[in-house]
Amino acid sequence: MKQSIPSQAARSGILLVTRAPEEMHELLLELDRHGLHAVRARDLDAAAALSGDAIALVLLDAALAGADLAGACRRLTGAAGTPLFLMSAAPSAAEQSRSIGAGAADYIKLPCKALELTEKILVELALREGAPRLPALPPATALRPQTLEVNYHSVLAGSPDAVVLLDIDNDRLIDVNHHAGRLFGLGIDALLQSNLAALCPPLQPDGRRSADILAAGVARALAGEIRVFEMRCRHSDDSETDCEMRLVMLSVPGRHLVHARIIDLSARKLAESLRAGQNSLLEMIARGAPLTATLDQLMLLIEAQSPGALCSVLLLDDDGRRMHSASGPSLPADYMAALEGAAIGPTVGSCGTAMYRREPVLVSDIEHDPLWAPYRGLAKPYGLRACWSIPILGPDAVLGSFAMYYREVRSPVPDDMHLIDVAVHIAGIAIGRTRHEQELQRHRSGLEQLVAERTVALTQAKERADQINAELAGALANLSRTQEELVRRDKLAALGALVAGIAHELNTPIGNSLVVCSTMAERTRLLREGMADGLRRSALETYLGQAAEADDIVLRNLQRAARLVSSFKQIAVDRASSQRRRFGLRQFVAELMLPLCAPLRDSGFTVEQSIPEALLLDSYPGPLGQALSCLFENCLRHAFDGRSRGRIAIRAQAGDDGGVALAIADDGVGIDAANLDRIYDPFFTTKLGSGGSGLGLHIAHNIVTGVLGGRIEAASDGVNGTTFTLHLPASAPAATP
C-alpha cells in the first residue's frame, strides 16, 4: 500500500545545506526556540540522503547548487514539494531569477539576521499547511480568519508580540492576535475594521506623515525585503508608544498580503534611558558635582522609569542616630522637612526602620502597617500609601536610605527591585565619595597645621644648614688651595725627576766627550811646545793615534746623545705626517723584524712570528712600526735581565670586532704587579740611569691609542713573562690636520 505523506504539522526538520553550518549558530538557536530542529549537510549528496518526510523546509547555499540550479532544487524538494529557500552570499538579479524558475520559494541574500530568516521560515511553513488557497475577498464586514488558513492564525495567536495581517489591495487588517488588541487598546472586531495607518498618530516625532512611512515600508516588503523600522503607535486612550515594525510579504498567489510584527519598545527605551542616566550620574560624581544635585538627578531618573513613583534619600549622621533630608525633588517640601533630625528606630516608618535594621523595609500599605503608626498622620495629608525603603550601606556603617513612595497601595515587582538596586548603588557611590572628600578636607586642615609647624622647623634647619654650608665652603676653598699646591709640587717633582733622568742619560756621553776633548787639548799644547825643539816622528805618530782614538770616542758619545734627544722628541707623534696605505700585516712585520733581529744572531734569544697571510690593515705603517720597535726594544732591555737565553713570540689573529689583535709575548721575568699601572707613564723606568729613558712604552701607547685608533693591553704575573696585545681596527681613523 502506498505510504501517505505526513502533514506539514508532522514535519519539524529544517535541512540546512551549506559548507559551514557552524557559522549559522544563531539561526540554529532561533529554530530550536520555535520547536524546529536543524538537519545539517555539507554537500548535495549528503543532503539528498537526508531529505525525506520529516523535512519541512530546505535551506540551500547557492554555491553548492552549481550550474544546474533547477536539478539541485528538484533533488532536494522531492515529490512532496518541500519548500526550498536559496541562500546566496553573492546575490545577483540573474541568480534570483533562476532560483524562482527552479522552484525556490524564496531567495535569501546573505548575510541575513537569524531572527528575520526564522520569521520567513515560520510564515512559509504556516502558509504551506494543506496547500492553502485563499478565496476571493468577501465584504469588509465579513472579513475574519475564515479567509485564512487555521495554521497561520495559530502562529499569530502564539506570537509573544503584536502581529497583524494586512490585505494591501483592500487596505484592511484581516487577522490580528490578542497582543495587538492590548497594544492598541481595541477589540479584535474594531481592529479588523481599521488599517495600520489609523493605528498611528498622523505625524511621527520627526514630522513625517505616518501614512507615507507605512506606504514606503509596504512597497519595500512587497518587493521581497524584510522591512524593519521604528514607528510611534497610538493607543485608544490617545497615549503613544514607540514601536518597532517588521513587515514581511506572504507568498500567496493572487493576493498582496503583508505580515506585520509590532514590538513595543517602551521597555527598551526605558532601559536605554536608564543606562544613559547612570552614565551621566557617574560623570557628575567623577567631576565632583554637589551631592544634592547628584541625588536630585538620580531621584528624577528613577521616577521617570516608574510612573507614579516619588523618590527620596535620607542621610544618617556620623553618630548613627538621626536622619537628615538629602533629596526628594517630587515629594512635598513640608513632608521632607518633618523628617529632618528624626531618630531612627524599630518602628520609625520605612526609612528609619530600614536604617535601624540595616535591611530593606517594603511597606505596601502605610495606612495599615504598624511601622508607620507614629507617622501615619504625617503621610496621609499628602496621599502617600506605599513606601519601600532600602538602607544605603558603606564599608563599615549605614550611610542613609533610599525610598520609593506611591499614592496607591502597591508591592514591588522584579523591575521595581532592579530600579531600587540601581538607585542604592549609585547613591552609595555619591554619598561615599562626598564623605571621603569631607574626610580628606579634615585631614587637609590637619596637614596644613602640620605643614606650618614643619615649615618653622625646616626654616631653622635651613639656617643651621646655611651656616654649616658656609663652613664647608671655607674648608673646600682651603682644600682646593691645598690640592693645587700638591699638584704643583707633584709637577715640580715629576719635572725634577725628568730633568734628573735626562741629565743622567746625557751626562755620560757629554762627560766622556769633554774628558777626551780636554785630554786632547792638553796633548795638542804639549805637541805645539815640543815643536820648538824639533818634533820627532814617533811623537807625531803617537799623537795621531791618540787623536784618532779620541775622535772615535767623541763620535760614539755624541751619537748616543743624539739618539737620546731623538727619543725625547718622539713623545709627540705627528699623525698628519704619517703616510696611510693598505698593507699585509704578515709581510710588514717580517720586514720590520729583519733589522731588529740582526743583533740577536748567534745568541740564545729567538724570535718567532705567527701571523696569518690574510690579515690586512688600512692604516699607518710608519707609526705602527715605531710602536712595535718600542715594544721589541723594551722586551730586549727588560724581559731577560740576568738571562742568556729567551724567546719572543709575535702573533696575530682576527678580532671579534672585525679588527686585528697583534701580540708581542716573551718568557722573561715579567712585570711586577705594582708597576703594571704605571708602565705607560712618561719617563717611568726600572732602569733609570742604565740606558733606559722610560719613554718607549709611553710612545707606543700614544701611537696605538691616537694615530692607529686602537688600544693596548699588558698582561703579566710577574714571573712567567709579559704579553703586550695591540687591538687595532682594520681601518684606522682618518688623520686630523
Side-chain angles (χ1 to χ4, degrees):
M1 184 174 65
K2 187 177 180 181
Q3 188 176 9
S4 62
I5 297 176
S7 67
Q8 189 75 29
R11 304 178 185 182
S12 60
I14 303 299
L15 179 56
L16 178 59
V17 188
T18 176
R19 287 193 180 96
E22 63 276 0
E23 294 181 0
M24 307 191 76
H25 178 68
E26 292 185 6
L27 174 63
L28 301 180
L29 293 178
E30 284 294 327
L31 293 175
D32 185 67
R33 192 166 66 88
H34 289 83
L36 300 172
H37 69 278
V39 180
R40 288 169 279 184
R42 294 181 180 270
D43 55 51
L44 286 177
D45 292 337
L50 292 172
S51 63
D53 295 342
I55 300 301
L57 186 141
V58 179
L59 294 173
L60 173 62
D61 189 343
L64 295 177
D68 188 11
L69 181 60
C73 291
R74 283 195 300 271
R75 289 184 64 188
L76 298 181
T77 56
T82 305
L84 181 144
F85 285 2
L86 189 68
M87 305 180 296
S88 178
S92 65
E95 187 178 63
Q96 183 174 9
S97 177
R98 288 194 301 118
S99 69
I100 296 173
D106 206 341
Y107 182 77
I108 308 299
K109 299 176 182 178
L110 298 178
C112 176
K113 292 184 179 179
L115 184 62
E116 296 175 355
L117 182 52
T118 303
E119 190 171 77
K120 279 200 169 192
I121 292 172
L122 292 174
V123 172
E124 182 66 27
L125 295 181
L127 292 175
R128 290 275 174 165
E129 176 65 18
R133 292 291 185 270
L134 294 179
L137 189 67
T141 56
L143 286 176
R144 281 297 293 135
Q146 289 88 349
T147 63
L148 300 172
E149 296 301 324
V150 174
N151 194 42
Y152 180 76
H153 186 70
S154 300
V155 171
L156 264 66
S159 174
D161 302 310
V163 179
V164 300
L165 182 62
L166 287 73
D167 182 350
I168 306 304
D169 296 327
N170 294 278
D171 194 22
R172 288 287 187 273
L173 303 182
I174 58 174
D175 201 1
V176 298
N177 65 359
H178 67 284
H179 291 295
R182 186 174 59 186
L183 176 64
F184 297 108
L186 296 172
I188 293 178
D189 291 334
L191 285 173
L192 293 176
Q193 297 298 321
S194 181
N195 58 33
L196 195 54
L199 300 176
C200 300
L203 297 177
Q204 291 295 310
D206 59 2
R208 293 185 296 166
R209 295 177 66 248
S210 298
D212 294 341
I213 298 174
L214 291 172
V218 167
R220 300 287 289 275
L222 292 176
E225 297 184 22
I226 296 179
R227 293 299 298 157
V228 180
F229 54 94
E230 289 191 13
M231 284 285 290
R232 181 165 291 183
C233 296
R234 183 172 59 188
H235 193 271
S236 60
D237 62 2
D238 289 333
S239 62
E240 297 180 358
T241 304
D242 290 324
C243 298
E244 179 184 84
M245 285 202 178
R246 292 174 174 264
L247 303 182
V248 182
M249 180 188 70
L250 299 188
S251 299
V252 178
R255 304 293 295 274
H256 295 94
L257 303 180
V258 173
H259 166 90
R261 182 155 62 95
I262 307 170
I263 303 172
D264 186 350
L265 297 180
S266 300
R268 184 191 303 176
K269 296 285 187 181
L270 284 175
E272 292 174 355
S273 174
L274 181 61
R275 284 195 297 271
Q278 287 178 267
N279 292 336
S280 176
L281 285 165
L282 291 175
E283 288 179 6
M284 289 180 66
I285 295 171
R287 292 197 307 266
L291 179 61
T292 300
T294 303
L295 294 178
D296 284 347
Q297 183 165 329
L298 174 61
M299 299 303 99
L300 294 174
L301 173 65
I302 301 302
E303 290 171 358
Q305 294 285 315
S306 180
L310 306 170
C311 301
S312 72
V313 170
L314 299 180
L315 298 181
L316 193 61
D317 59 16
D318 293 339
D319 62 9
R321 297 177 58 190
R322 298 188 176 277
M323 51 190 180
H324 306 277
S325 175
S327 177
S330 300
L331 284 166
D334 292 342
Y335 176 79
M336 295 300 294
L339 299 177
E340 179 64 28
I344 64 173
T347 58
V348 184
S350 298
C351 296
T353 306
M355 285 187 272
Y356 179 81
R357 294 180 181 176
R358 301 172 66 96
E359 63 183 26
V361 175
L362 309 177
V363 175
S364 301
D365 187 355
I366 291 176
E367 192 169 329
H368 299 94
D369 195 293
L371 295 179
W372 275 85
Y375 296 92
R376 195 170 295 138
L378 177 63
K380 188 173 181 178
Y382 305 107
L384 304 177
R385 293 299 307 274
C387 181
W388 315 327
S389 183
I390 292 82
I392 302 171
L393 303 177
D396 51 9
V398 177
L399 303 178
S401 69
F402 166 74
M404 294 179 71
Y405 291 87
Y406 290 90
R407 289 191 168 96
E408 60 186 16
V409 175
R410 179 174 174 181
S411 297
V413 296
D415 288 344
D416 296 325
M417 297 308 298
H418 173 67
L419 288 176
I420 289 172
D421 290 340
V422 170
V424 170
H425 176 66
I426 295 180
I429 294 174
I431 298 170
R433 179 186 177 90
T434 299
R435 291 202 172 185
H436 181 64
E437 289 177 349
Q438 292 172 349
E439 185 68 19
L440 286 177
Q441 183 58 41
R442 287 194 292 269
H443 285 297
R444 191 177 296 115
S445 300
L447 284 173
E448 289 175 356
Q449 181 180 356
L450 180 61
V451 168
E453 295 173 355
R454 293 294 297 163
T455 301
V456 173
L458 288 174
T459 301
Q460 296 173 352
K462 182 179 180 301
E463 293 174 353
R464 291 195 297 271
D466 290 342
Q467 181 180 359
I468 294 173
N469 285 340
E471 296 174 357
L472 289 176
L476 180 61
N478 186 41
L479 179 62
S480 297
R481 289 192 296 270
T482 304
Q483 183 178 9
E484 291 173 358
E485 180 65 21
L486 290 175
V487 169
R488 188 180 65 80
R489 290 181 183 180
D490 287 344
K491 288 181 179 179
L492 291 175
L495 180 60
L498 173 61
V499 171
I502 294 174
H504 182 80
E505 291 296 324
L506 293 178
N507 186 53
T508 299
I510 293 175
N512 292 338
S513 298
L514 288 174
V515 170
V516 170
C517 289
S518 61
T519 301
M520 289 305 299
E522 180 62 25
R523 288 179 178 176
T524 300
R525 185 184 63 78
L526 294 176
L527 180 63
R528 184 178 289 111
E529 290 177 354
M531 290 179 62
D533 300 329
L535 184 63
R536 295 182 181 183
R537 183 181 179 85
S538 58
L540 180 60
E541 289 178 350
T542 300
Y543 175 80
L544 292 175
Q546 292 174 343
E549 183 179 356
D551 289 344
D552 184 56
I553 292 173
V554 170
L555 180 61
R556 287 201 310 274
N557 281 277
L558 290 177
Q559 287 176 342
R560 181 182 177 188
R563 285 197 299 272
L564 286 172
V565 172
S566 177
S567 67
F568 297 149
K569 291 171 63 178
Q570 288 176 356
I571 293 175
V573 180
D574 184 6
R575 282 180 55 175
S577 64
S578 302
Q579 295 297 318
R580 177 175 181 156
R581 63 182 175 88
R582 186 175 178 84
F583 57 91
L585 184 61
R586 180 176 180 178
Q587 182 180 358
F588 170 77
V589 172
E591 294 175 353
L592 179 68
M593 289 296 110
L594 258 162
L596 295 178
C597 294
L600 301 181
R601 292 191 182 98
D602 303 325
S603 68
F605 300 98
T606 60
V607 178
E608 300 174 359
Q609 300 181 43
S610 176
I611 300 176
E613 184 72 34
L615 292 180
L616 299 176
L617 290 178
D618 182 5
S619 190
Y620 301 92
L624 176 59
Q626 187 177 355
L628 291 176
S629 299
C630 290
L631 293 173
F632 189 82
E633 292 173 357
N634 182 77
C635 180
L636 292 177
R637 183 175 293 111
H638 298 282
F640 306 109
D641 190 18
R643 300 187 184 186
S644 60
R645 58 172 54 277
R647 182 176 63 86
I648 300 174
I650 303 175
R651 54 182 180 268
Q653 63 180 10
D656 295 336
D657 56 356
V660 172
L662 177 62
I664 298 180
D666 63 68
D667 58 356
V669 297
I671 301 175
D672 195 315
N675 295 329
L676 270 177
D677 293 337
R678 302 183 60 196
I679 57 176
Y680 302 120
D681 293 347
F683 304 111
F684 173 76
T685 178
T686 57
K687 291 187 176 183
L688 187 63
S690 301
S693 64
L695 295 173
L697 292 182
H698 178 69
I699 293 171
H701 181 273
N702 282 359
I703 292 173
V704 173
T705 59
V707 178
L708 303 180
R711 56 189 173 86
I712 183 171
E713 295 177 350
S716 178
D717 59 3
V719 177
N720 299 314
T722 302
T723 299
F724 286 93
T725 304
L726 280 63
H727 297 276
L728 304 173
S731 179
T736 56

